[in-house]
C-alpha cells in the first residue's frame, strides 16, 4: 500500500496534487511520501516484535538526507556500503551504534572513518578484509565488532544482476568454510566476533529461498557456539521484493517474513537485524515526467518523455517493469491504446516500456512511474548532459524540495580546464 492515489481523477501524493508539484519544480522529478516510508519501516519493525531486533534501512536504495532523517527519527538504523553512505547516515543524525557497514571491498580509509565515528558492526566479506579491519582497529587501540557474511549457496530466484547468495557470486565466504574463518577471526586481537551475516539477493518474491538460507544460518549458529564463539546477533540482510506490476501476484508481506524468521531462528535467543531497502523505499516514491511528443512510427506509436534512462535506469539495466500512469485520469470508459514509452537519450536502451496500454496522451501531459523510490534517484546520472533531476518529499499537505535540480551552469562548472587550454 502507498499514498499515491487518485482523487476526482487527479493523482495525489498524500494530500498534495502531483500536478501542483510539477508546476512548482518542473519535470522530470522524484517525489516521496513520508507516510509510505514510515508505514513500511513500521511493518518490518512490528513483524519482528517479540524478538530483540533492529531494522537497518539499506540506504543504497534511497539516500537523500531527508529520507534518512525521516526513517532515523522513527528509530531505524542504517546499512551502509561505502564511506559516503556512512557519512550521509551520520549527517542525518544516525548514531554510530545503529550503523552497520556492509559491502565487499571496504578500504582501510573507510574502516578508519567508521571506527573513529562509531559503528555497530562490520559485516566482513573475506579474509583479507578481516585482516585489514584487524590492523586498523589495532592501530587505533580499539576492537572492531564484526559478523562474517556467509554465502549459503541458495538460489534467490531473482534477476541475475541482483542475486548474491550463490557460490558463483562475489559475496561473503562459502558457508562450508565458515568454521575455519571464524576461528581465524577469533585469533585476531582487534576483532570481536558477535554474529553472522547473510544477504542472498534483492527483489525476492518467495519466502522459500530466505527460509533455506536462514535454516543454514541457524545450524551454523549452533556449530559456531559449540566451537566457543559468542554468536549473539544475526544480520539477515534485505531482499524482500515489491509488486512492481499491480496485476501480478504480490510477494510475501513483512509480517509473513517476520513469522518465518521467528520460526527458523526464534529458538536461538539472538538479536535479529534486517536490512530492507527496496521494500521500505520502493513504493514510497514515484518519478513524474512529461510527454514531449507523441510520434507515429511505421507500426507503432512512441510516447517520448522528458524523463530518460539516466533518471531511472532500472528498465534498461534489469529489464524492470514500472507501472506508468497518467497524472490526470481519462474519462471513465476511454479506450486504451498501445505505446512504446521512451526517453530522449540517444540509445535504443532508453526504452521504459513496449506496447504498453495507456489511455491516449498528448504533448505536455504528465505521467508517473510507480515504485520508483528505490534504486531510482540514487542510480541516476547526467548522461547526455541532462542535469540530475530534483527530489521532493511530501508530508501530509506539505511538500519540500529535498534535492534541487542543478542549473546548467552548475553542471558545466563542475568541470575544470587545465592551464594549457
Ligand atoms: C542491497 C543490499 C540490501 C538491500 O536489499 P533490498 O533488496 O533493497 O532490500 C541489504 N543488505 C545488503 C548487504 C545489500 O547489499
Amino acid at each position: 500500500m502507498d499514498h499515491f492515489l487518485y482523487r476526482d481523477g487527479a493523482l495525489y501524493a498524500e494530500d498534495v496534487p502531483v500536478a501542483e508539484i510539477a508546476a512548482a519544480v518542473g519535470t522530470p522529478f522524484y517525489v516521496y511520501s513520508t507516510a509510505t516510508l514510515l508505514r513500511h519501516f513500521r511493518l518490518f519493525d512490528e513483524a519482528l516484535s517479540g524478538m530483540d531486533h533492529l531494522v537497518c534501512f539499506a540506504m543504497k536504495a534511497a539516500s537523500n538526507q531527508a529520507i534518512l532523517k525521516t526513517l532515523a527519527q522513527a528509530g531505524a538504523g542504517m546499512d551502509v556500503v561505502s564511506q559516503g553512505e556512512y557519512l550521509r547516515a551520520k549527517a542525518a543524525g544516525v548514531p554510530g551504534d545503529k550503523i552497520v557497514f556492509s559491502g565487499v571491498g571496504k578500504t582501510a580509509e573507510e574502516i578508519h572513518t567508521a571506527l573513529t565515528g562509531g559503528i555497530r558492526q562490520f559485516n566482513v566479506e573475506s579474509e583479507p578484509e578481516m585482516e585489514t579491519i584487524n590492523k586498523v582497529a589495532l592501530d587505533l587501540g580499539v576492537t572492531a565488532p564484526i559478523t562474517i557474511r556467509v554465502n549459503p549457496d541458495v538460489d534467490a530466484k531473482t534477476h541475475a544482476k541482483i542475486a548474491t547468495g550463490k557460490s558463483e557470486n562475489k559475496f561473503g565466504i562459502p558457508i562450508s568454510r565458515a568454521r575455519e574463518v571464524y576461528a581465524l577471526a577469533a585469533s585476531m586481537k582487534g576483532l570481536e566476533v558477535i554474529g553472522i551475516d547473510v544477504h542472498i539477493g534483492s527483489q525476492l518474491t518467495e519466502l522459500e529461498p530466505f527460509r533455506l538460507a536462514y535454516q543454514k544460518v541457524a545450524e551454523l549458529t549452533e556449530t559456531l557456539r559449540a566451537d566457543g564463539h559468542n554468536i549473539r546477533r544475526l544480520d539477515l540482510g534485505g531482499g524482500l521484493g515489491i509488486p512492481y506490476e499491480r496485476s501480478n501476484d504480490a510477494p510475501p508481506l513483512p509480517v509473513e517474513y517476520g513469522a518465518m524468521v521467528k520460526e527458523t531462528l526464534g529458538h536461538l535467543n539472538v538479536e535479529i537485524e534486517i536490512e530492507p531497502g527496496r521494500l521500505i523505499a520502493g513504493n514510497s516514491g514515484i518519478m513524474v515526467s512529461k510527454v514531449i511528443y507523441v510520434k507515429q512510427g511505421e507500426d507503432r506509436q512512441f510516447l517520448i518523455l522528458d524523463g530518460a534512462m539516466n533518471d531511472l535506469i532500472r528498465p534498461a539495466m534489469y529489464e524492470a517493469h514500472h507501472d506508468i500512469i497518467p497524472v490526470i485520469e481519462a474519462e471513465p470508459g476511454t479506450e486504451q491504446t498501445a505505446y512504446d514509452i521512451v526517453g530522449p537519450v540517444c540509445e535504443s536502451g532508453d526504452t521504459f516500456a513496449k506496447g504498453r496500454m495507456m489511455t491516449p496522451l498528448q504533448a505536455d501531459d504528465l505521467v508517473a512511474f510507480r515504485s520508483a523510490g528505490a534504486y531510482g534517484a540514487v542510480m541516476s546520472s547526467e548522461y547526455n548532459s541532462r542535469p540530475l533531476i530534483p527530489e521532493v518529499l511530501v508530508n501530509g499537505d506539505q511538500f519540500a524540495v529535498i534535492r534541487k535540480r542543478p542549473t546548467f551552469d552548475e553542471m558545466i562548472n563542475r568541470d575544470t580546464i587545465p592551464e594549457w587550454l
Side-chain angles (χ1 to χ4, degrees):
M1 206 217 106
D2 61 45
H3 289 78
F4 299 99
L5 299 169
Y6 288 105
R7 287 186 202 170
D8 295 330
L11 187 66
Y12 275 65
E14 301 190 17
D15 297 329
V16 184
V18 168
E20 191 182 313
I21 306 172
V25 305
T27 55
F29 63 92
Y30 282 98
V31 54
Y32 307 94
S33 149
T34 300
T36 315
L37 284 166
L38 292 176
R39 178 187 145 80
H40 292 161
F41 165 71
R42 288 183 182 134
L43 285 178
F44 274 115
D45 204 30
E46 284 158 19
L48 296 177
S49 65
M51 301 182 88
D52 188 10
H53 70 274
L54 182 67
V55 179
C56 294
F57 176 56
M59 57 177 277
K60 73 174 192 279
S63 59
N64 188 290
Q65 291 293 293
I67 293 175
L68 302 186
K69 204 153 192 159
T70 299
L71 291 168
Q73 285 181 359
M78 296 290 155
D79 174 56
V80 308
V81 292
S82 71
Q83 187 168 359
E85 285 195 352
Y86 177 85
L87 295 171
R88 272 186 179 277
K90 290 295 290 255
V94 184
D97 64 6
K98 281 182 144 180
I99 304 177
V100 177
F101 209 135
S102 298
V104 72
K106 302 170 206 74
T107 65
E109 180 188 323
E110 290 181 312
I111 295 160
H112 188 276
T113 298
L115 277 176
T116 47
I119 191 77
R120 181 173 176 80
Q121 96 237 5
F122 294 97
N123 293 334
V124 176
E125 296 238 8
S126 67
E127 286 131 302
E129 186 187 72
M130 200 158 86
E131 281 166 28
T132 303
I133 296 173
N134 182 50
K135 182 171 183 312
V136 177
L138 289 176
D139 287 350
L140 286 169
V142 299
T143 46
I146 65 153
T147 72
I148 296 175
R149 178 170 178 179
V150 294
N151 185 326
D153 195 23
V154 301
D155 185 353
K157 301 199 180 118
T158 185
H159 191 280
K161 282 185 184 153
I162 49 177
T164 58
K166 285 288 281 174
S167 57
E168 72 225 38
N169 301 129
K170 69 182 175 185
F171 300 97
I173 57 143
I175 198 162
S176 56
R177 291 194 46 238
R179 293 179 77 182
E180 194 188 315
V181 181
Y182 271 86
L184 179 66
S187 74
M188 294 186 180
K189 297 278 176 288
L191 304 182
E192 187 190 5
V193 176
I194 59 166
I196 306 172
D197 171 45
V198 67
H199 170 75
I200 58 175
S202 199
Q203 186 51 19
L204 272 70
T205 53
E206 296 169 30
L207 282 186
E208 243 5 73
F210 287 118
R211 188 191 302 276
L212 284 174
Y214 298 169
Q215 280 165 348
K216 291 189 181 194
V217 168
E219 274 172 42
L220 180 62
T221 302
E222 315 230 39
T223 308
L224 293 176
R225 280 178 172 171
D227 286 349
H229 302 285
N230 183 3
I231 303 298
R232 51 197 186 274
R233 183 180 295 161
L234 300 180
D235 182 333
L236 305 178
L240 199 55
I242 62 171
Y244 281 99
E245 280 182 75
R246 301 289 138 141
S247 49
N248 279 12
D249 283 349
L253 301 170
V255 65
E256 297 167 307
Y257 172 87
M260 182 271 297
V261 167
K262 285 177 196 172
E263 227 173 274
T264 50
L265 303 164
H267 60 290
L268 292 169
N269 189 26
V270 278
E271 180 183 9
I272 297 293
E273 200 170 81
I274 56 169
E275 304 166 344
R278 190 187 308 270
L279 204 146
I280 290 179
N283 288 338
S284 303
I286 60 175
M287 184 181 82
V288 179
S289 183
K290 192 166 72 179
V291 177
I292 310 176
Y293 296 116
V294 181
K295 172 173 166 174
Q296 187 61 54
E298 200 160 347
D299 61 348
R300 61 191 64 215
Q301 279 196 96
F302 294 98
L303 208 54
I304 302 175
L305 304 182
D306 64 358
M309 65 189 288
N310 67 297
D311 306 311
L312 177 63
I313 204 173
R314 298 190 65 261
M317 185 138 152
Y318 310 115
E319 292 92 38
H321 174 103
H322 284 272
D323 280 348
I324 303 170
I325 58 171
V327 167
I328 304 297
E329 274 186 312
E331 293 295 317
T334 306
E335 254 187 66
Q336 296 200 326
T337 174
Y339 290 111
D340 281 14
I341 304 177
V342 303
V345 161
C346 306
E347 290 207 24
S348 298
D350 187 22
T351 298
F352 292 119
K354 286 196 164 153
R356 184 67 68 85
M357 297 305 290
M358 305 269 295
T359 49
L361 288 161
Q362 299 174 0
D364 292 335
D365 284 348
L366 298 173
V367 294
F369 289 70
R370 282 193 166 278
S371 312
Y375 307 103
V378 285
M379 293 181 100
S380 60
S381 76
E382 291 184 336
Y383 185 42
N384 277 215
S385 287
R386 296 163 46 83
L388 286 181
I389 67 176
E391 294 180 285
V392 173
L393 182 65
V394 169
N395 184 19
D397 60 3
Q398 320 174 66
F399 73 93
V401 174
I402 57 173
R403 187 180 74 192
K404 77 177 197 53
R405 191 191 309 276
T407 64
F408 287 105
D409 277 347
E410 281 165 347
M411 180 179 71
I412 294 164
N413 292 332
R414 244 181 265 136
D415 301 354
T416 50
I417 306 291
E419 60 183 21
W420 64 81
L421 287 177

